[in-house]
Amino acid sequence: MDRYTGTRGIAMGGAYTAIADDMSAAYWNPAGLYYVKTTQAGTSYMNFSGMSDRLSFEGVNYIKEYDMTVGGNFVQEGMQGLLLTEDVGGGGIVTGEFDEFKRAVNVGLAKELLPNVAIGTNLRFLYNVLDVNMAWGGAADLGVLWKIDKAWSAGLALKNVLSRLEWTNQTVEYLDKTAVTGVAYRVD
């Protein structure tokens, strides 16, 4: 499961990487935080067919003295009563149940690098529980957002540039590095 947030970004998919101008920008493209010049706060809750719940809180604040914007969010998601199975003779036998919970705290900041080009970074602190095992760790994202003109914009978000999760069973996990690009045309 990914720890996405903000219904607008979810609906727009990768194209939102080129806009990211609201309180969910810390997740979608941290460079977009720069273009949020107000204080915003919000929350969302999603239930996926009774199987999974996701709760998120977002906030962003423009710091005029430094001409930068900081933002962040907290996302918690969980699945309960997942079936634990064992392979017996080529078939799965249910041997019990387990739960999975994930929490993430994202903190991002953004600043203008060149006229109409912003850069941003996001640090993510992670806590996961899978059955009886727990993991702590973090990840970092980088973003660039270019406002080409009043209507066109382009964005690039590099997700999990750095990452590491350490599990209580001594396993170390690195999150997949991904690049998300987007181009958007704003109709006013």
Side-chain angles (χ1 to χ4, degrees):
M1 284 187 265
D2 203 354
R3 289 159 199 84
Y4 53 76
T5 184
T7 54
R8 184 172 168 220
I10 293 168
M12 293 182 69
Y16 194 65
T17 303
I19 299 172
D21 62 357
D22 67 13
M23 61 193 151
S24 67
Y27 171 80
W28 292 100
N29 182 349
L33 286 168
Y34 178 74
Y35 297 104
V36 181
K37 303 296 185 185
T38 61
T39 299
Q40 299 177 8
T43 186
S44 65
Y45 172 79
M46 293 177 248
N47 181 291
F48 299 97
S49 302
M51 292 181 55
S52 175
D53 292 312
R54 176 173 289 121
L55 175 67
S56 66
F57 299 94
E58 297 90 32
V60 66
N61 187 49
Y62 176 65
I63 304 170
K64 189 173 184 176
E65 298 81 37
Y66 297 102
D67 190 33
M68 70 170 42
T69 305
V70 296
N73 61 37
F74 168 81
V75 179
Q76 175 176 299
E77 58 188 47
M79 297 174 68
Q80 299 175 346
L82 299 168
L83 297 179
L84 182 62
T85 61
E86 286 188 32
D87 184 20
V88 177
I93 303 292
V94 175
T95 59
E97 292 184 351
F98 67 97
D99 298 333
E100 178 185 31
F101 293 97
K102 296 183 178 186
R103 293 180 181 100
V105 175
N106 299 296
V107 179
L109 63 92
K111 186 139 180 75
E112 190 172 52
L113 177 66
L114 299 167
N116 300 318
V117 177
I119 59 169
T121 188
N122 177 32
L123 298 177
R124 191 166 46 261
F125 305 95
L126 305 168
Y127 171 72
N128 294 357
V129 175
L130 181 60
D131 197 17
V132 296
N133 295 302
M134 294 181 290
W136 292 90
D141 304 336
L142 300 172
V144 177
L145 203 149
W146 176 28
K147 298 279 188 176
I148 300 166
D149 59 27
K150 284 187 170 191
W152 288 96
S153 59
L156 168 67
L158 302 174
K159 302 281 191 177
N160 304 318
V161 174
L162 299 171
S163 72
R164 182 180 173 99
L165 277 173
E166 292 190 30
W167 289 86
T168 53
N169 66 1
Q170 307 305 312
T171 302
V172 175
E173 179 181 357
Y174 299 94
L175 303 176
D176 292 334
K177 293 174 175 63
T178 58
V180 181
T181 60
V183 175
Y185 180 81
R186 184 182 301 259
V187 179
D188 287 329

